[in-house]
Amino acid sequence: KKTHVEYIERNNTSEKLGDVCLSLRYVPTAGKLTVMILEAKNLKKMDVGGLSDPYVKIHFMQNGKRLKKKKTTIKKNSLNPYYNESFSFEVPCEQIEIAATVLDYDKIGKNDAIGKVVLGASSTGTEQRHWSDMLANPRRPIAQWHSLRHQEEVNSLLYLMQSLIPHILPLI
């Protein structure tokens, strides 16, 4: 029998949205988390001309609430942008999650989400391994590629996990 999380993960992987490479560095003594957006590759074409104008928006969340947000510069006409942009925050690392959303900038109208990835203690797969590696190697930057997922899929998983956590914690 499949869990809800497994069902959502397995049934929304047909369309390739691209990949993003992030580096995470946590300094426990200072309570400082540094997220470096290194690059993205093979992003989905979002503009009529067959390209995109991508940028990455990062949300630092605690218990499902957005604490802070930052964003990279916009890279015009690229499906393989290079950023090398760093963002640091003072946070209690055990209690937070990072949501990185790659968006296509549009001059007119709303910017379209290309894909999203969430890293934190409640993540799964590659995202969870990256988070664990970062915690196991304090003060060292740990870089990892992540496949982007549909924003709706990631938001559904986040909502599901947040609704389950209050029921699971008393059992631990």
Side-chain angles (χ1 to χ4, degrees):
K1 185 177 175 183
K2 289 182 186 176
T3 66
H4 292 292
V5 172
E6 289 170 335
Y7 179 81
I8 292 169
E9 286 179 341
R10 289 184 185 154
N11 291 304
N12 280 327
T13 56
S14 58
E15 185 183 19
K16 286 287 185 188
L17 304 175
D19 302 290
V20 64
C21 187
L22 310 172
S23 172
L24 302 177
R25 180 177 182 253
Y26 183 56
V27 180
T29 52
K32 184 177 175 182
L33 176 66
T34 302
V35 178
M36 184 170 242
I37 308 297
L38 296 168
E39 61 184 307
K41 66 181 180 183
N42 304 319
L43 294 177
K44 181 181 172 187
K45 299 170 185 165
M46 300 294 283
D47 293 341
V48 178
L51 293 170
S52 293
D53 302 320
Y55 68 96
V56 182
K57 187 188 300 183
I58 303 169
H59 283 106
F60 287 82
M61 303 181 303
Q62 188 172 34
N63 301 323
K65 293 190 172 108
R66 293 178 185 164
L67 298 177
K68 297 174 185 170
K69 70 177 178 183
K70 298 283 181 183
K71 53 185 168 180
T72 65
T73 55
I74 298 163
K75 302 298 181 182
K76 295 281 189 187
N77 301 319
S78 179
L79 299 177
N80 300 290
Y82 180 74
Y83 296 100
N84 202 31
E85 296 182 35
S86 182
F87 306 95
S88 293
F89 294 89
E90 290 180 16
V91 289
C93 196
E94 300 80 22
Q95 304 166 10
I96 70 147
E97 291 181 315
I98 303 158
T101 308
V102 179
L103 296 112
D104 175 43
Y105 171 77
D106 288 320
K107 287 181 184 170
I108 302 168
K110 191 172 181 277
N111 296 336
D112 301 314
I114 297 172
K116 185 173 184 175
V117 64
V118 175
L119 295 97
S122 62
S123 299
T124 60
T126 307
E127 292 83 9
Q128 204 281 324
R129 279 192 303 278
H130 191 184
W131 191 259
S132 296
D133 288 349
M134 173 201 67
L135 291 176
N137 296 281
R139 296 175 297 285
R140 284 187 45 211
I142 308 292
Q144 175 75 49
W145 281 98
H146 297 281
S147 293
L148 295 171
R149 298 178 183 208
H150 288 280
Q151 184 169 343
E152 299 79 22
E153 173 190 354
V154 174
N155 292 346
S156 296
L157 283 169
L158 281 173
Y159 177 77
L160 182 63
M161 293 305 285
Q162 288 160 5
S163 61
L164 290 175
I165 287 172
H167 302 288
I168 294 170
L169 286 178
L171 302 173
I172 297 175

